[in-house]
Every structure is written in C-alpha cells, then in structure tokens.
Amino acid sequence: MRIEAITLREIRMPLVHFFETSFGRTTERRILLVTVHCEGVDGWGECTAGEHPFYSEESTDTAWYVLREYLAPAFAGKEIESGREAAFRMPALRMHRMAKAALENAVWDAEAQVKQVPLWKVIGGTRKELAAGVSIGIQDSHGQLLSKIATEVAAGYQRIKVKVKPGWDLAVLEKIRAQWPGILLSCDANSAYTLDHVAHLREFDRFRLLMIEQPLWSDEIYLHALLQHELTTNLCLDESILHARHALAAIELKACRILNVKLGRVGGFTEAIRVHEVALAAEVPVWCGGMLESGIGRSHNLAMSTLIGFSLPGDVSASARYWKEDIIDPEVTVSAQGTIAVSNTVGRGYAINERLIERLTVRKEIIRG
Ligand code: OSB
Ligand code: MG
C-alpha cells in the first residue's frame, strides 16, 4: 500500500478526574494522533507521550517535532506492506519510542483494514475476553482513595492498582487491606524509592500484593534484582523495559517476576510482540500498561492484550473512567465481571468519531509524499 499522506494532530481532552503519580498530577491530556492515509483506508495511531517529560524523556511536543521532521517524511509517499515493515524502515534516530510507536501502530491499523481482518488477529492474538484492572492515582485524602476503590470494586474490576510514594504508602495499603482483605491488589511507585528504602519496602510484604511496580530508578535493572532478592512480594518493571533485550536482562537477573508492556514505551507492536515472546519463553506473566490513552490508543492496547502471554489483568479500563466522551464509537466498556469483549470488527475494532476529533483539535499538519 502507498502512504499518500500522514496527518499529525494534537487534541486536548480534559480528564473526568485528575490522575496523580509520584511524578505529578495530570488534569488535561494533550494527545498527538497520527493518521496514515493509504489507498482507501486511514490507519490511526496514538502517541502515549505525556504533556511533560516526567514518565520518560518524551513529551507531546518532542514527539510532534520528531514525527514532523523525521518520521513522517520518511514514510509519506512511500510504498509499505505491513506494520512490521514500518518498524524495520523506521529512521535510525535514537530513542523517541513513543513517537515511533504512534506511526508504526497506525500502519498496523491500516494493514489490518487492507487485509479486512481485526488487528488482534494480524498481530497473532487469540484471547477473546480480556481481564480488566484499574490504576488509581494518589488522591487528596485517604477517604477519597477508599471511595474510589469502592466504586471500582463494585464495578467488577479484577485488579486494583494504587499509586504509592514515600508518605503515601503503608498507611494507605493498611486501610485498603482492612476493608478488602481478598482483592487482587498491587501498587506502582513510578521510581519513588531508593535502596535506602529496602527495610521500608519489606514492610509491603504483609499486604500480600500481587506486585510492586517500578520501585527504583527508571533506568535501572540490576538494583531491582538486589531489591527483589530482599522481598517476598513480586517486583514488576515498567519504565526500565524499553525493548526485548531489557526484558531478557531483567528476567535473567531475576530483577522482577512480572512485566508490564506498554506499546509506546517499547516503540510499537513489533517490539511489544518481541518482549511478549521473551517473557512467554521464560514463563514470566505480562500485562498491558496504560498511559491515560484516548480510545485510539486504548483499542491498540486491547489488541495487544489478546496475545496469549497477557495472563494478568491490565490497566486497560472503560473509556468513561477517563473521558466525558471518547473519540471512538462504541466506547470501551467493561462487564460486571470486569472483562472486556474483544471486537471482531475489521481493524482496531472501534470506529473513529471524526467530528469530535475535529472539535478537539488544536493543531494539525499534513505531510505529503
Ligand atoms: O506507570 O503505569 C504507569 C499513567 C501515566 C503514566 C504512567 C503510568 C500511568 C498509569 C495509568 O498507571 C494507567 C491508565 O491508563 O489508567
Ligand atoms: Mg507504571
């Protein structure tokens, strides 16, 4: 298929409720969307970079720059057959994986549409029903957090994850466990701790957590192995895993027993599939992480979660938890059992609400071949 043009656009979407991690609070998303216009089909991708370079070095603006100056010009006007080929033909610039993923994933979407099959089948997925979990940010008070958890448990979500940091951890987990002794519970520190906290982190063991996600530095694997050795609770790495070689290193060093896979963080479907294969071979369970995506990124996450190794509930939950109105139709919904049914429709499985996208757009640029 020939890519005739590529549209970059930024949309603004206010969150229904703010989302706070150990690195800051988000109230409104600035989301970069990529559309590849091929003969007769439009493939869509979402860049998962944040508004500020806090989770990783990328931001909405750095991704815009890299896509406009380097990535889109390398593909506009070119012949390309598949998402996998897009990964191999990506310009040799370092890092900027979220920018690359937005473009590569748009090509995967276009490929699925041209082949007239669901995207999840193109990537080799098999799951038909996905287990959904939620990630709940740091709140203004313990009471506010407990009431949010009550809402999500009542909605049926199969795993609750809470954000933690020094000063918002042991007392919070204590209260959660007192109220819900049996739920599948985990926490995510987004690198808020150091090795000075080993004794402190050992106290987490009594809460029977499924995992502690990314307690230490975002660029560290080896020291997570030292920490894992000191804890009974499973560690899970998020920020530290940028590609399949990192996944292999983390598994061989026993730096974690669970892996979080994010399409943007690893640079797109091609590398995410490789990470999944490394984990599967080592029998390390993986799950799909979230980056407060709009429905477009969310539908890509659902496709990825159909791969067989995604055996734990992910951070992919209902559109309505984030948005007053999502940009896809239908929106993503979750059953009372906390599951998401996989769509059998061609492509990503959710139509694009172009009128709403147009209304939310604050800048747009078309790169032609
Ligand atoms: O670490 O998983 C994370 C959101 C922004 C940046 C990093 C993370 C998160 C989440 C949100 O936990 C998951 C979601 O999309 O609900
Ligand atoms: Mg995380």
Side-chain angles (χ1 to χ4, degrees), residues 89-368:
R89 301 240 313 253
M90 208 47 80
L93 61 96
R94 294 196 206 279
M95 303 294 280
H96 299 286
R97 291 185 168 82
M98 293 171 177
K100 292 170 179 167
L103 180 56
E104 186 196 313
N105 295 349
V107 176
W108 279 95
D109 181 25
E111 176 189 352
Q113 291 180 54
V114 167
K115 291 181 171 161
Q116 289 282 299
V117 286
L119 175 57
W120 62 269
K121 284 195 179 160
V122 177
I123 66 159
T126 50
R127 293 178 183 274
K128 304 282 164 56
E129 198 173 53
L130 309 174
V134 289
S135 172
I136 306 180
I138 293 164
Q139 306 297 320
D140 289 329
S141 66
H142 291 183
Q144 192 177 22
L145 177 67
L146 294 172
S147 100
K148 286 213 154 288
I149 295 173
T151 303
E152 308 300 6
V153 169
Y157 282 103
Q158 295 187 18
R159 189 225 58 203
I160 304 290
K161 154 175 148 186
V162 294
K163 293 289 184 178
V164 290
K165 64 176 182 180
W168 182 277
D169 50 11
L170 296 177
V172 171
L173 294 168
E174 196 80 65
K175 287 182 187 174
I176 298 171
R177 268 304 181 222
Q179 203 161 335
W180 296 281
I183 58 169
L184 202 53
L185 180 67
S186 68
C187 70
D188 185 359
N190 292 107
S191 303
Y193 299 94
T194 70
L195 287 181
D196 293 338
H197 295 104
V198 173
H200 180 73
L201 290 166
R202 247 198 234 113
E203 294 199 51
F204 286 42
D205 281 342
R206 71 174 188 272
F207 301 117
R208 293 169 285 108
L209 303 176
L210 172 62
M211 65 193 131
I212 302 174
E213 189 179 336
Q214 196 71 38
L216 306 176
W217 301 272
S218 63
D219 58 356
E220 186 58 53
I221 293 176
Y222 173 66
L223 294 179
H224 280 100
L226 296 192
L227 177 62
Q228 179 67 92
H229 194 70
E230 299 295 322
L231 306 177
T232 57
T233 307
N234 299 321
L235 294 186
C236 169
L237 292 180
D238 173 354
E239 284 91 328
S240 296
I241 307 298
L242 303 182
H243 44 65
R245 290 174 288 105
H246 278 153
L248 186 62
I251 291 168
E252 299 222 328
L253 285 169
K254 298 188 179 359
C256 62
R257 304 188 192 118
I258 296 175
L259 282 174
N260 163 323
V261 186
K262 287 180 179 167
L263 278 167
R265 192 192 71 222
V266 304
F269 273 111
T270 305
E271 193 63 22
I273 292 166
R274 286 199 195 107
V275 171
H276 164 262
E277 281 165 359
V278 164
L280 195 61
E283 296 181 45
V284 168
V286 305
W287 54 279
C288 177
M291 291 293 286
L292 310 175
E293 287 94 343
S294 80
I296 292 174
R298 199 164 294 280
S299 56
H300 284 288
N301 286 343
L302 293 174
M304 180 172 75
S305 306
T306 65
L307 295 171
I308 196 64
F310 283 73
S311 54
L312 292 171
D315 273 353
V316 187
S317 55
S319 298
R321 292 188 62 247
Y322 305 83
W323 321 114
K324 204 158 119 306
E325 192 181 0
D326 203 346
I327 57 176
I328 51 169
D329 182 20
E331 300 198 345
V332 174
T333 55
V334 172
S335 75
Q337 289 71 45
T339 60
I340 301 175
V342 175
S343 169
N344 275 316
T345 322
V346 164
R348 288 169 306 93
Y350 297 82
I352 297 286
N353 184 342
E354 297 217 32
R355 266 192 32 232
L356 178 58
I357 290 176
E358 214 48 66
R359 194 144 49 78
L360 299 172
T361 298
V362 296
R363 60 172 158 165
K364 177 165 145 179
E365 202 163 313
I366 303 175
I367 291 108
R368 294 176 202 285

